[in-house]
Structure formats: structure tokens, C-alpha cells
Amino acid sequence: MPVLDPNPQNGQKKLLIVFGAFLAIFVVIAIIATIASP
């Protein structure tokens, strides 16, 4: 699976999905840290 997409019309959506997934993981980690904190 190449890092650079041969057809750039799908690159924006892929970048948005990756950024959204990273943001979702960050939110989940923040929620877990908030629950785990005394």
C-alpha cells in the first residue's frame, strides 16, 4: 500500500479520515485519563 496515492482526487478524503481517526483516539485517551484520575 503506497504512501503516495497515484490518484490525488482521493487523497483529501484519506487525509481527513486519518486525521479524524487520530482525533478520535486522542479524545478516547483523554476520557480514559479523566476517568482514571483520582
Side-chain angles (χ1 to χ4, degrees):
M1 192 171 174
V3 178
L4 294 176
D5 218 320
N7 40 355
Q9 71 264 16
N10 216 9
Q12 190 84 10
K13 189 194 297 183
K14 185 182 296 184
L15 185 68
L16 191 66
I17 290 176
V18 169
F19 183 73
F22 180 76
L23 194 66
I25 291 173
F26 181 77
V27 168
V28 169
I29 291 176
I31 293 176
I32 292 176
T34 304
I35 294 176
S37 65

